[in-house]
Amino acid sequence: MRETSVTDTTANDAPLPGEQGPGEQGHDPATVFTDSEIAGLFLDAARDGQTDLIESFLAAGIDPDLRDARGYSALLLAAYNSHAETVACLLAHRATVDLQDGKGSTALAGVAFKGDLAVARQLVAAGAAIDAPNHVGRTPLIFATMFNRAPIVAFLLEHGANPDHRDGEGNSARLVAERQGQAAIMALMPPRGRADGPHPRH
């Protein structure tokens, strides 16, 4: 899918979804927005979980993968802020589930950091890559372990996350858990050498 920036929107000086366009009867010039403003409103709506407004933008033809200068897409923002309904809406409109932000993190990495299991399930069901690393090699499992998100750790391991993948600093989820004394998370880890597939809990 073509990468899209905040300047790639529906049309120059387009009205907000649901508003009348230039030249239409009753048009109020105050409702006309630039591409950049439209992009900002769309991404703000995703951040705030305004699903109805997101639906209107998408119906008007805005790209669901539009991103801001930091690489944050609507899906990344909605997922990070735990707006499950907005996440579902964006996924239904084919938002790219593994689109990376400027640091290489995916929506699943953000959710792993925050610890929202319900949204993590949504993303994985939509095909999110379990072990997608960011630009320094950190995977969602490493983030979940760093911030002691045991339910997310268990979920990711069940779906085949590799606890021995090392980031650019040589850290793996297993090593982080050992170093931080996270006994509950260590108990979830498969034995070394057996981290190559799903590991359901019993």
Side-chain angles (χ1 to χ4, degrees):
M1 179 175 291
R2 181 176 65 87
E3 291 191 354
T4 309
S5 71
V6 294
T7 58
D8 296 321
T9 54
T10 53
N12 288 332
D13 297 325
L16 283 174
E19 300 288 355
Q20 293 176 313
E24 295 182 45
Q25 185 176 6
H27 169 64
D28 180 356
T31 64
V32 177
F33 293 83
T34 66
D35 284 352
S36 180
E37 289 169 332
I38 291 171
L41 290 166
F42 175 63
L43 294 173
D44 284 347
R47 183 184 291 106
D48 295 338
Q50 296 178 291
T51 306
D52 289 346
L53 186 53
I54 290 292
E55 285 274 15
S56 296
F57 274 114
L58 293 168
I62 202 166
D63 187 339
D65 286 338
L66 181 147
R67 296 187 286 179
D68 67 13
R70 295 173 294 179
Y72 297 153
S73 68
L75 182 62
L76 278 159
L77 292 168
Y80 184 81
N81 288 285
S82 299
H83 298 308
E85 183 181 6
T86 307
V87 168
C89 171
L90 288 161
L91 290 173
H93 284 270
R94 299 188 177 183
T96 302
V97 71
D98 284 329
L99 202 63
Q100 295 173 301
D101 65 19
K103 295 182 179 180
S105 292
T106 63
L108 184 58
V111 168
F113 164 73
K114 292 294 289 288
D116 191 321
L117 183 57
V119 176
R121 292 185 186 280
Q122 285 181 285
L123 296 172
V124 171
I130 292 294
D131 277 333
N134 67 6
H135 292 335
V136 295
R138 291 196 180 121
T139 63
L141 181 61
I142 292 176
F143 278 115
T145 304
M146 288 173 66
F147 295 94
N148 202 24
R149 311 298 192 194
I152 297 285
V153 169
F155 173 73
L156 294 173
L157 288 171
E158 288 171 3
H159 286 79
N162 181 1
D164 297 311
H165 166 88
R166 298 204 181 202
D167 64 17
E169 297 177 347
N171 296 311
S172 68
R174 190 190 303 276
L175 290 174
V176 169
E178 290 174 346
R179 187 179 306 122
Q180 296 182 174
Q182 297 167 326
I185 287 181
M186 282 302 302
L188 298 170
M189 299 282 179
R192 281 184 170 83
R194 293 180 58 191
D196 53 357
H199 305 283
R201 287 179 294 173
H202 298 288

